[in-house]
Amino acid sequence: MLDYTNTDIRKLAVHHIGNKTNGENLRLSKEEIKVSDVKLKDLLFRYFLNPISSPDFYNFTFTNQDFQLNPLYIYAKAVFEQGKNFQKLSQDIAKHLYEVSSHPQIKDGDLFVVLFTNLAVNGHVVNALGIFKSENRQSFLQVNSPMGEEFSLHYDEGINIDKLDKACLIYQTEEDKGFKISIIDKSNKGPEAQYWRDNFLMIRPCKDEYHQTKEFLSMAKTYVTAGLPEDFEINKTEQIDMLNRSMEYFKTHESFNKGEFEREVFQDAGVIK
């Protein structure tokens, strides 16, 4: 989905987000971080962009469905239009996240705000604003071996670049729909897990072909596994066959026809009705 062969990191800011309810502070950096080392840049690409592989896309929304009032939409639009104010806008994004991090179980962490250029998304080259939060640090060992025969062993804590906790990529496209967005959220399913998607980003799935297909398959699965056994004598094998036929339909057909789907998947006239 993402091709960052020709992508560059144009801007990068890092802030630390504490938990407001627990009395932890918000620490804002005053200057951007310059990334000139090639190896460091490659590691950052691996950390930020490698994990984003899902074909799910989202748009910004708001409580009254007016995405133009969404704070993240406003900040992203300003970043794309006014690159010179990037550091100030990254601070505004950090402040917004700090305000919504109110559940006592939300972990503190480092927030990375990144402006990417020339990022290819499904073949379309765009700029993108990345927002990444690292909530978990891991211990690592370091062996020092000077020129002599003396060795020393130390430990430290740092970010595992292969474990991205939370991410949001806002692509500079579909602005009139609330921008096109990819997300990652590795939280558990507790109430504190909702803040990134629902309170901070405030997003909804894109109304595209992928989402519509996914929703229709979900409806079909719900009916086959829960609704169908209430009305008909059906065993597990028959249910599995129906679910497999529903998947096969979308693999072998370029366009969707409801009647055709019903005949191929359910087959029985009574079930179709």
Side-chain angles (χ1 to χ4, degrees):
M1 185 189 75
L2 292 186
D3 180 0
Y4 52 87
T5 305
N6 299 312
T7 302
D8 190 25
I9 295 176
R10 180 65 58 84
K11 303 278 188 180
L12 171 63
V14 182
H15 310 288
H16 187 83
I17 312 295
N19 185 303
K20 185 177 182 180
T21 301
N22 295 336
E24 298 169 350
N25 293 326
L26 168 67
R27 291 188 285 134
L28 301 174
S29 63
K30 295 182 179 180
E31 297 182 357
E32 298 173 25
I33 293 179
K34 304 299 182 183
V35 183
S36 56
D37 183 270
V38 175
K39 178 64 175 177
L40 175 58
K41 187 173 290 188
D42 288 343
L43 291 173
L44 289 174
F45 281 137
R46 176 175 159 184
Y47 178 55
F48 294 142
L49 301 180
N50 264 11
I52 300 176
S53 57
S54 171
D56 280 309
F57 291 107
Y58 299 83
N59 299 127
F60 284 124
T61 185
F62 202 61
T63 52
N64 59 355
Q65 303 301 313
D66 186 357
F67 61 83
Q68 296 185 53
L69 298 178
N70 184 309
L72 261 295
Y73 172 84
I74 296 170
Y75 298 144
K77 184 178 180 181
V79 167
F80 293 137
E81 294 176 351
Q82 312 166 25
K84 61 183 180 180
N85 293 325
F86 177 82
Q87 188 65 20
K88 170 62 168 58
L89 290 166
S90 77
Q91 293 175 346
D92 292 337
I93 292 171
K95 291 175 183 177
H96 175 52
L97 179 57
Y98 182 69
E99 290 300 321
V100 301
S101 300
S102 57
H103 193 284
Q105 293 182 13
I106 294 175
K107 297 179 181 178
D108 69 321
D110 297 312
L111 184 73
F112 300 84
V113 184
V114 190
L115 179 60
F116 299 98
T117 57
N118 299 322
L119 179 64
V121 187
N122 292 342
H124 300 284
V125 178
V126 296
N127 296 335
L129 176 65
I131 305 171
F132 311 90
K133 188 186 178 191
S134 171
E135 294 182 332
N136 297 287
R137 288 183 170 269
Q138 294 188 338
S139 300
F140 63 88
L141 298 175
Q142 184 174 16
V143 177
N144 293 328
S145 53
M147 296 300 293
E149 297 180 354
E150 298 294 329
F151 288 78
S152 61
L153 186 62
H154 304 275
Y155 71 91
D156 206 338
E157 289 191 341
I159 297 170
N160 186 335
I161 62 171
D162 292 318
K163 291 186 178 181
L164 183 59
D165 295 314
K166 288 178 169 56
C168 167
L169 264 183
I170 306 165
Y171 308 107
Q172 194 177 6
T173 183
E174 298 186 10
E175 180 181 326
D176 59 334
K177 298 179 181 178
F179 289 119
K180 197 171 195 174
I181 303 163
S182 294
I183 70 163
I184 286 178
D185 189 353
K186 296 293 178 64
S187 296
N188 58 34
K189 298 186 182 299
E192 74 277 8
Q194 301 172 3
Y195 84 98
W196 181 259
R197 179 193 298 249
D198 298 338
N199 301 336
F200 176 56
L201 298 176
M202 288 181 283
I203 54 176
R204 59 173 177 79
C206 283
K207 296 179 180 179
D208 55 15
E209 293 88 347
Y210 174 82
H211 175 69
Q212 291 171 341
T213 300
K214 184 177 177 181
E215 285 295 299
F216 197 89
L217 277 171
S218 177
M219 290 166 57
K221 181 180 178 181
T222 299
Y223 174 66
V224 171
T225 56
L228 189 59
E230 295 181 359
D231 299 322
F232 297 91
E233 288 280 342
I234 187 170
N235 57 45
K236 289 290 184 183
T237 301
E238 292 172 319
Q239 288 177 298
I240 292 172
D241 287 342
M242 282 189 184
L243 293 176
N244 287 339
R245 289 197 296 268
S246 69
M247 295 290 293
E248 189 64 23
Y249 176 88
F250 285 102
K251 290 180 181 178
T252 56
H253 293 71
E254 292 185 1
S255 60
F256 174 74
N257 179 283
K258 182 172 179 287
E260 186 180 58
F261 176 88
E262 291 168 345
R263 290 190 296 272
E264 292 190 20
V265 174
F266 299 118
Q267 299 178 350
D268 182 270
V271 175
I272 290 173
K273 184 179 179 180

